Amino acid sequence: MKKYILDLKVKEVEQIHQRYVLIKLTHQNTLPDMLPGQFVEVRVDGSPSTFLRRPISINFVDRENNELWLLVATVGQGTKQLAKLKFGDVLNCVLPLGNGFTPAKQGEKVLLVGGGVGVAPLLYMGAEMKRQGIEPTFLLGARTANDLLMLPIFNKYGRAYVTTEDGSMGEKGFVTNHSILTLEHFDRISTCGPTPMMKAVARYARQNNVDCEASLENLMACGLGACLCCVEKTTEGNLCVCKDGPVFNIKKLLWQD
């Protein structure tokens, strides 16, 4: 897909959690096509200690309002600076980058499993499935009910099941402990989140002969495969997550149980 460098205007910055903000961006022209699972590289202005762009998953594309949503975890100086953006500010973005999830097919049952900020690309994936007349099933994990992100919006686009480690909402435990995995069969699983969670999901998929894709969250600097800081060992050799991923079929990954 063609890549663009755009100055996007901030329409809204919503503090949806003490550690997360939702940034809604727009442009004077129609936003380019973007696929679920792709990401953008944003330039962080106003932070003397932040020299590199920050990779942010595409959370949602609202075509009706010409908006791009970015769900940002404020974990370092760069992302904390992004959280300070205000209405009317400009955010320079390179987009869309990477390869997305495999599109769902009619009649296919797809389970979208996410944890933490890893739920971000799954919302856009589910929304695109819904637009195509395919009902997605979401399985979202968090430490507590307070840590579940954007749950009402997930419920808008499909069936959303929840696990929390403390049992404050949904079923207690991790996503791979949820009863939906024993009650229903899925043709494919797409997952994004903490690496231990994705490895557990991949293990479940292998054991149950379910096709599975994982969106990796390796550290990425350039987003174009030039700096080699996001390399992942695969069955095809060392691949750049930013250029060859971030979505990989788990059969390509050399993850150890």
Side-chain angles (χ1 to χ4, degrees):
M1 296 179 67
K2 184 177 179 180
K3 298 174 178 61
Y4 300 81
I5 302 176
L6 299 177
D7 284 330
L8 301 182
K9 184 171 289 188
V10 177
K11 287 185 69 175
E12 183 181 356
V13 179
E14 180 183 358
Q15 187 84 42
I16 63 171
H17 184 276
Q18 61 182 357
R19 298 192 304 274
Y20 301 96
V21 294
L22 178 62
I23 303 174
K24 297 183 180 180
L25 305 164
T26 191
H27 194 263
Q28 60 188 13
N29 300 321
T30 301
L31 290 169
D33 290 336
M34 291 171 266
L35 301 174
Q38 290 186 307
F39 66 98
V40 306
E41 286 273 358
V42 303
R43 189 180 70 205
V44 182
D45 297 325
S47 176
S49 62
T50 306
F51 304 103
L52 301 174
R53 289 178 179 265
R54 291 293 183 265
I56 309 291
S57 294
I58 294 170
N59 178 217
F60 188 73
V61 179
D62 184 341
R63 292 294 176 190
E64 184 176 346
N65 295 302
N66 198 40
E67 291 178 354
L68 166 64
W69 296 9
L70 302 179
L71 180 61
V72 180
T74 54
V75 295
Q77 289 302 313
T79 49
K80 287 178 181 177
Q81 186 67 27
L82 292 176
K84 297 177 182 178
L85 290 168
K86 304 295 183 185
F87 173 81
D89 286 344
V90 170
L91 186 63
N92 184 269
C93 299
V94 182
L95 77 163
L97 297 172
N99 298 305
F101 292 107
T102 300
K105 301 176 182 177
Q106 293 293 331
E108 188 177 37
K109 288 190 65 175
V110 181
L111 179 66
L112 308 178
V113 185
V117 75
V119 304
L122 303 182
L123 177 62
Y124 187 29
M125 175 69 170
E128 285 295 284
M129 289 176 61
K130 182 79 169 182
R131 186 177 64 84
Q132 297 163 11
I134 306 169
E135 184 183 39
T137 301
F138 301 104
L139 178 53
L140 311 174
R143 290 188 178 90
T144 71
N146 184 57
D147 296 317
L148 288 164
L149 304 174
M150 309 179 76
L151 185 57
I153 304 179
F154 278 100
N155 280 317
K156 177 181 176 182
Y157 290 104
R159 298 183 299 157
Y161 296 91
V162 166
T163 65
T164 51
E165 293 179 26
D166 67 351
S168 53
M169 183 177 287
E171 296 187 12
K172 184 176 182 178
F174 302 114
V175 288
T176 47
N177 304 131
H178 199 284
S179 60
I180 192 68
L181 296 176
T182 58
L183 295 173
E184 296 188 30
H185 172 75
F186 294 92
D187 301 304
R188 182 153 51 87
I189 296 173
S190 297
T191 185
C192 184
T195 299
M197 184 209 77
M198 289 196 294
K199 288 184 176 181
V201 172
R203 186 159 53 248
Y204 165 85
R206 288 197 302 269
Q207 292 171 350
N208 291 274
N209 197 30
V210 179
D211 195 36
C212 181
E213 291 182 327
S215 179
L216 305 192
E217 296 185 320
N218 296 32
L219 292 175
M220 292 183 275
C222 71
L224 301 170
C227 68
L228 303 179
C229 73
C230 65
V231 166
E232 179 77 18
K233 293 181 179 180
T234 75
T235 57
E236 299 176 359
N238 292 336
L239 297 178
C240 290
V241 170
C242 67
K243 179 174 66 69
D244 302 302
V247 178
F248 291 91
N249 191 296
I250 61 168
K251 293 177 181 177
K252 286 187 178 182
L253 300 175
L254 300 180
W255 282 348
Q256 301 297 313
D257 291 342

